[in-house]
Amino acid sequence: MDKLRITGGAPLHGEISISGAKNSALPILCAGLLTADVLTLANVPHLNDTATMLRLLGRMGVRAERGTDGVVMLQADRVDNLEAPYDLVKTMRASILVLGPLLARFGEARVSLPGGCTIGQRPVDQHIKGLAALGAEISIEHGFVVARAKRLKGASIRTDMVTVTGTENLLMAAVLADGQTVLENAAREPEVVDLAELLIKMGARIQGHGTDRIVIDGVERLHGAEHRVISDRIEAGTFLCAVGAAGGDILLKNTDPVILGATLDKLVEAGLTIETGPDWIRGAMATRPKAVGLRTHEYPGFATDMQAQVMALNAVADGTSVIVETIFENRYMHVQELRRMGADIDIDGHTAIVRGVKRLSGATVMATDLRASASLVIAGLAADGDTLVDRIYHLDRGYDQMEVKLRALGANIQRVTAKEQA
């Protein structure tokens, strides 16, 4: 099992390119199931999760060609298997996103229930409720969601909670439904907007994406299209937290500052000097960061996917911060590992109180989920001595060669492979 070895204390300097957004690429890959024509996608990140999704689509009969430059060509004209098995779904919950497209185009789908998740339950009941409103007959059989419908019918759907993947699944199902569908309480995330923009290029009729009310007028069929996946706002925010904790001056290219929203606001509050252009962000930190409080919320609020990284920044900040996690019930598992490095953090339910220390100490720590992994890397960059981060397969799910990019910025970080450990 690979690990990362980090020797802290080196400020970050230089420039890197931000990869395509994982949380946008995954539903967009699933949208390839909605047409028999070729879908050409650019800026698809090289991640374990995108590789898993391509394997899943391949099992269904989707032909995929992946270039070295982030271009993926999909064609779903020979789909002969309408099942997403547990062995793939258990490694990536986003596999549930094949449910809506399969049902909409083929009238049937059999998708394994995702099971548990380290950071929270994230139930799929809102997906099921919405598809049932569109006329699908749905049952749970032997751990699978089994859905059938001759053709889905437009409906008005209000989810009980804001759900990104739920909105995306229902959006993809509704584009081929008979009549108009209105999604109320819809997720507003940039990744939802990116999916909608692709679907419009494919011939879908969608209005209101980016608001909490999306209106879809169903069409008979969709056609092929070309689309570029948006940049990963969480990756960009992670590198900005890294320079905030370790100091330095970095330039992030191929990134849209507008979609970072609340993350940039908090980093400026923490003392970073931020400059932006149409497709770049410069972040610089010459002093110790200031403690910043935050409360996670659905977009355009502060992203739960940035909570752990800002906590690592707060761990070395001047002052005390209060962090409230409102999205997932179990997203503080990185706290115990940060404490091993000398962080002063108390947890009370959904609230974390972080008292900044002047310096963390390098230690052997264990990643528990994707964003927790990133927080430990940030802490290691700001710590005295060596930090060894174990179980970084979590990190590889959502960050495209993070250690390579950090080395380009001057960090002392190396991947230690299983063979090297033997």
Side-chain angles (χ1 to χ4, degrees):
M1 195 178 296
D2 289 2
K3 303 177 182 180
L4 286 180
R5 179 178 287 115
I6 306 163
T7 301
L12 304 180
H13 292 276
E15 60 181 50
I16 56 171
S17 288
I18 297 301
S19 302
K22 174 184 86 82
N23 291 338
S24 188
L26 295 177
I28 279 175
L29 289 171
C30 293
L33 291 165
L34 289 167
T35 179
D37 297 342
V38 174
L39 203 61
T40 302
L41 306 173
N43 206 34
V44 178
H46 287 268
L47 306 169
N48 284 356
D49 274 10
T50 51
T52 299
M53 185 63 80
L54 288 171
R55 283 200 302 274
L56 174 58
L57 295 175
R59 282 203 196 179
M60 295 176 174
V62 178
R63 290 179 290 159
E65 294 181 17
R66 181 163 199 166
T68 57
D69 52 356
V71 174
V72 173
M73 297 180 67
L74 296 176
Q75 188 163 19
D77 58 341
R78 300 179 187 175
V79 174
D80 56 6
N81 176 19
L82 304 179
E83 178 177 302
Y86 180 67
D87 66 309
L88 287 176
V89 175
K90 71 179 180 180
T91 64
M92 185 186 64
R93 295 180 57 95
S95 303
I96 194 70
L97 288 166
V98 301
L99 180 60
L102 286 176
L103 186 59
R105 182 169 164 221
F106 300 102
E108 186 177 343
R110 180 180 166 86
V111 180
S112 173
L113 286 166
C117 176
T118 58
I119 61 170
Q121 292 304 307
R122 293 193 283 186
V124 298
D125 60 324
Q126 298 303 304
H127 303 239
I128 294 171
K129 172 186 173 182
L131 292 171
L134 292 172
E137 295 181 0
I138 301 178
S139 59
I140 307 297
E141 301 175 8
H142 308 292
F144 283 81
V145 179
V146 179
R148 298 179 178 88
K150 287 186 178 179
R151 187 181 180 189
L152 297 173
K153 307 273 186 194
S156 180
I157 303 169
R158 173 179 285 275
T159 54
D160 298 333
M161 55 187 288
V162 177
T163 161
V164 175
T165 54
T167 298
E168 291 165 342
N169 233 342
L170 297 176
L171 180 59
M172 288 189 281
V175 292
L176 291 179
D178 180 19
Q180 186 176 89
T181 298
V182 180
L183 301 181
E184 303 274 8
N185 202 27
R188 301 164 60 184
E189 271 73 2
E191 295 78 15
V192 174
V193 175
D194 199 27
L195 172 63
E197 290 296 328
L198 165 68
L199 294 172
I200 291 169
K201 291 177 183 177
M202 296 170 68
R205 299 172 60 194
I206 302 170
Q207 297 180 358
H209 45 298
T211 75
D212 60 2
R213 185 176 189 270
I214 304 175
V215 179
I216 308 107
D217 289 297
V219 296
E220 289 288 335
R221 64 177 299 273
L222 297 181
H223 52 71
E226 296 182 0
H227 185 76
R228 181 178 179 83
V229 175
I230 61 171
S231 62
D232 197 317
R233 60 193 172 103
I234 306 302
E235 184 189 25
T238 299
F239 280 104
L240 290 171
C241 284
V243 76
D249 188 337
I250 64 172
L251 177 67
L252 307 180
K253 301 182 295 183
N254 184 39
T255 186
D256 181 358
V258 173
I259 62 176
L260 268 79
T263 296
L264 286 187
D265 293 341
K266 284 297 173 184
L267 291 174
V268 169
E269 188 180 335
L272 268 81
T273 299
I274 300 287
E275 298 176 20
T276 62
D279 59 356
W280 57 269
I281 303 171
R282 180 187 173 201
M285 178 67 94
T287 61
R288 186 180 175 192
K290 304 170 189 173
V292 291
L294 63 91
R295 184 183 186 91
T296 63
H297 203 274
E298 294 87 0
Y299 194 85
F302 190 90
T304 180
D305 278 355
M306 282 302 306
Q307 176 257 108
Q309 299 91 309
V310 173
M311 183 180 288
L313 177 66
N314 276 331
V316 294
D318 182 13
T320 298
S321 59
V322 176
I323 295 175
V324 181
E325 173 59 58
T326 71
I327 307 297
F328 295 122
E329 69 274 14
N330 196 22
R331 204 161 198 175
Y332 285 142
M333 289 189 295
H334 50 282
V335 169
Q336 181 175 343
E337 302 303 303
L338 289 173
R339 285 173 179 158
R340 287 177 51 79
M341 301 178 69
D344 184 356
I345 306 171
D346 289 329
I347 301 295
D348 183 7
H350 297 290
T351 302
I353 301 170
V354 186
R355 302 171 190 88
V357 298
K358 288 186 177 181
R359 200 77 174 175
L360 297 173
S361 299
T364 298
V365 291
M366 182 178 68
T368 52
D369 61 71
L370 171 56
R371 307 308 173 185
S373 308
S375 75
L376 298 178
V377 171
I378 292 168
L381 294 170
D384 283 327
D386 288 350
T387 296
L388 191 65
V389 184
D390 199 357
R391 295 176 64 180
I392 60 167
Y393 58 84
H394 291 294
L395 196 74
D396 293 335
R397 286 186 47 230
Y399 289 94
D400 189 349
Q401 296 185 301
M402 178 185 246
E403 76 278 11
V404 174
K405 293 181 179 181
L406 283 171
R407 277 201 303 275
L409 296 175
N412 189 341
I413 180 171
Q414 299 292 331
R415 179 178 290 255
V416 183
T417 66
K419 182 182 292 187
E420 292 169 330
Q421 297 169 47

